[in-house]
């Protein structure tokens, strides 16, 4: 909390004026107006400060930090049409008559292990990456807190003469200062990106029933042939997807906001005072206040991304600041008790209620509502002149 130091040049108690005969005997009577000054600490409690937070991250188009969808197929064609087919362990290509009869002698294989009783098998490898993402955004939060803290105040009290025509004991002029700040924070936007990498293992089987297959490694037929003929289209194809790797990226925003308020209030109003014991008196004051509110607010938001176990990085940042000075009128009411001390010194304690406006503060996309109505309590020490 930032505190400003105010030097008050003149102050007065919230009490003063005429006491009972026992009290009056302590101070010479004056047929005119007299003044007294007092100063002391003051505890002040405003109403709620309501923070309606709003973020900007959810409006961003967040790119993928881990890649996207991809598909790499081996050059083995489809099972519905004739084509050249290149496998990891051989090939089955077209020859000059394939277009007419679907057969080809332009084929080869790497190992006799691929030859079964009535079939010939080939293998091929491809790769696929599947990307997915999800995000969530919570409604803007509304956070409440109290504005309270210690400050300084000073009074000047003008005591009316005994023959004053109005039923009041005097007029109170009070100046008080109060400074405080408040911090808020929240997170409202988060998401996850995921990429799964697969190896695609293809197994194509060709029917060789009734054929004499050359049983030797690295057999290769040619386009011109001749040689044993097999169907160019496999009789079956099996695809096995093997998960190789999973990569994740998690992102979330963090919003931090603060507001600082300095209030200077001048209260002016009549006072009614009565003594109730030797050296003791109670007072009631009420009237209007002129208030100066100076506020400054700031908000910082960041969107951070963490990929797997790597350190988090900041993808986007938003910073906002605003400040303003507002004047406002209000009302106050005060009750207090005064105790006389030797040599025209006295002490007093009081409780004061204040009625003031609601301040609307904007900082970036967010908003503060400050209720300036509240109460205060203080202890003063002063002297009559």
């Amino acid at each position: 909390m930032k505190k400003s130091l105010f030097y008050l040049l003149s102050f007065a108690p919230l009490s003063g004026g005429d006491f009972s005969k026992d009290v009056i005997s302590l101070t010479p009577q004056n047929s005119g107006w007299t003044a007294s000054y007092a100063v002391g600490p003051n505890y002040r409690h405003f109403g709620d400060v309501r923070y309606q937070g709003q973020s900007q991250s959810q409006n961003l188009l967040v790119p993928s930090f881990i890649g996207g969808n991809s598909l790499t197929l081996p050059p083995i064609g489809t099972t519905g049409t004739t084509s050249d087919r290149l496998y990891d362990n051989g090939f089955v290509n077209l020859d000059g008559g394939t277009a007419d009869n679907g057969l080809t002698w332009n084929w080869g294989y790497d190992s006799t292990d691929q030859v079964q009783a009535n079939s010939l098998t080939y293998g091929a490898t491809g790769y696929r990456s599947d990307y997915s993402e999800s995000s969530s955004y919570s409604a803007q939060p509304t956070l409440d807190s109290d504005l309270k803290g210690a400050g300084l105040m000073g009074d000047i009290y003008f005591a009316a003469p005994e023959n004053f025509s109005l039923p009041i004991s005097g007029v109170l002029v009070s100046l008080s200062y109060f400074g405080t700040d408040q911090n808020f924070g929240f997170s409202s936007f988060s998401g996850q990106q995921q990429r799964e990498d697969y190896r695609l293992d293809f197994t194509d089987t060709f029917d060789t029933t009734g054929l004499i297959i050359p049983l030797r490694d690295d057999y290769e037929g040619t386009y011109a042939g001749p040689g044993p003929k097999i169907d160019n289209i496999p009789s079956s194809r099996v695809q096995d997807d093997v998960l190789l790797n999973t990569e994740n990226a998690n992102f979330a925003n963090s919003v931090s906001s603060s507001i600082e308020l300095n209030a200077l209030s001048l209260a002016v109003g009549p006072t009614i005072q009565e003594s109730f014991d030797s050296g003791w008196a109670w007072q009631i004051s009420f009237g209007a206040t002129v208030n100066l509110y100076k506020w400054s607010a700031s908000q910082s938001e960041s969107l951070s991304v963490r990929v797997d176990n790597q350190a988090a990085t900041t993808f986007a940042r938003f910073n906002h600041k605003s400040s303003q000075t507002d004047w406002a009128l209000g009302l106050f009411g005060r009750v207090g008790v005064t105790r006389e001390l030797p040599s025209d010194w006295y002490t007093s304690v009081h409780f004061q209620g204040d009625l003031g406006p609601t301040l609307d503060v904007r900082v970036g996309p967010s908003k503060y509502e400050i209720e300036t109505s509240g109460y205060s309590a203080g202890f003063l020490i002063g002297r009559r002149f």
Side-chain angles (χ1 to χ4, degrees):
M1 178 183 296
K2 299 180 180 178
K3 300 291 183 182
S4 302
L5 181 60
F6 280 72
Y7 290 91
L8 304 177
L9 299 180
S10 60
F11 312 99
L14 52 92
S15 60
D18 297 330
F19 290 82
S20 65
K21 293 183 179 181
D22 291 333
V23 178
I24 296 174
S25 64
L26 298 176
T27 306
Q29 293 299 308
N30 191 323
S31 60
W33 287 81
T34 60
S36 58
Y37 302 79
V39 66
N42 187 50
Y43 173 83
R44 190 165 182 179
H45 189 292
F46 274 13
D48 286 346
V49 53
R50 183 174 296 105
Y51 172 65
Q52 296 178 350
Q54 182 68 273
S55 69
Q56 295 175 266
S57 295
Q58 72 275 5
N59 298 321
L60 291 176
L61 181 61
V62 181
S64 172
F65 295 91
I66 54 176
N69 294 312
S70 65
L71 178 62
T72 302
L73 294 175
I76 59 175
T78 66
T79 59
T81 59
T82 59
S83 64
D84 288 334
R85 308 177 192 277
L86 179 61
Y87 298 94
D88 295 339
N89 52 1
F91 64 92
V92 179
N93 292 334
L94 304 173
D95 67 10
T98 304
D100 297 327
N101 55 28
L103 303 176
T104 181
W105 53 43
N106 188 11
W107 58 273
Y109 63 91
D110 292 348
S111 172
T112 56
D113 293 338
Q114 298 170 237
V115 180
Q116 306 299 321
N118 295 306
S119 63
L120 180 63
T121 60
Y122 292 90
T125 305
Y127 297 93
R128 185 183 78 242
S129 293
D130 294 338
Y131 173 81
S132 62
E133 65 179 17
S134 62
S135 62
S136 63
Y137 172 66
S138 59
Q140 64 179 27
T142 299
L143 307 174
D144 294 287
S145 182
D146 293 333
L147 283 179
K148 55 187 177 181
L152 294 173
M153 73 174 307
D155 286 352
I156 302 176
Y157 180 71
F158 298 97
E162 288 185 336
N163 59 356
F164 192 61
S165 59
L166 296 179
I168 62 174
S169 302
V171 176
L172 173 69
V173 179
S174 179
L175 183 66
S176 63
Y177 164 74
F178 170 71
T180 187
D181 58 22
Q182 192 62 258
N183 299 299
F184 296 93
F186 68 93
S187 178
S188 61
F189 180 61
S190 62
Q192 182 183 48
Q193 300 171 344
Q194 184 179 75
R195 193 194 74 243
E196 295 179 329
D197 299 327
Y198 293 89
R199 186 185 74 233
L200 310 180
D201 293 336
F202 292 91
T203 301
D204 280 3
T205 301
F206 291 83
D207 186 11
T208 59
T209 301
L211 296 178
I212 300 176
I213 302 298
L215 293 177
R216 65 175 186 270
D217 293 340
D218 298 327
Y219 169 77
E220 292 187 2
T222 64
Y223 180 84
K229 290 190 174 185
I230 63 173
D231 286 329
N232 178 264
I233 297 176
S235 58
S236 68
R237 171 173 290 178
V238 176
Q239 177 181 328
D240 187 18
D241 297 357
V242 180
L243 180 63
L244 300 178
N245 177 61
T246 299
E247 191 168 8
N248 293 283
N250 295 281
F251 54 90
N253 74 328
S254 176
V255 181
S256 176
S257 186
S258 64
I259 186 166
E260 179 183 348
L261 176 68
N262 292 281
L264 187 65
S265 298
L266 177 65
V268 179
T271 296
I272 299 174
Q273 176 174 289
E274 290 291 342
S275 61
F276 62 89
D277 199 358
S278 177
W280 292 89
W282 57 262
Q283 307 86 30
I284 297 178
S285 303
F286 55 92
T289 58
V290 179
N291 302 285
L292 173 65
Y293 302 109
K294 182 177 177 58
W295 56 261
S296 60
S298 64
Q299 178 164 303
S300 176
E301 178 181 358
S302 62
L303 180 65
S304 60
V305 180
R306 181 187 296 273
V307 178
D308 286 339
N309 295 321
Q310 301 178 20
T313 59
T314 299
F315 170 68
R317 186 180 297 277
F318 308 93
N319 293 300
H320 303 280
K321 289 185 177 181
S322 60
S323 61
Q324 188 171 311
T325 300
D326 292 319
W327 292 90
L329 296 177
L331 299 173
F332 83 97
R334 180 193 290 190
V335 294
V337 176
T338 297
R339 170 62 177 171
E340 291 293 325
L341 300 175
S343 303
D344 291 327
W345 288 88
Y346 64 91
T347 61
S348 66
V349 293
H350 69 264
F351 180 87
Q352 178 172 313
D354 290 279
L355 182 63
T358 298
L359 301 179
D360 291 331
V361 175
R362 291 280 185 179
V363 54
S366 300
K367 177 183 177 181
Y368 285 94
E369 293 180 355
I370 304 173
E371 297 179 2
T372 62
S373 298
Y375 62 87
S376 61
F379 171 80
L380 299 175
I381 183 168
R383 191 181 183 194
R384 308 185 194 285
F385 293 89

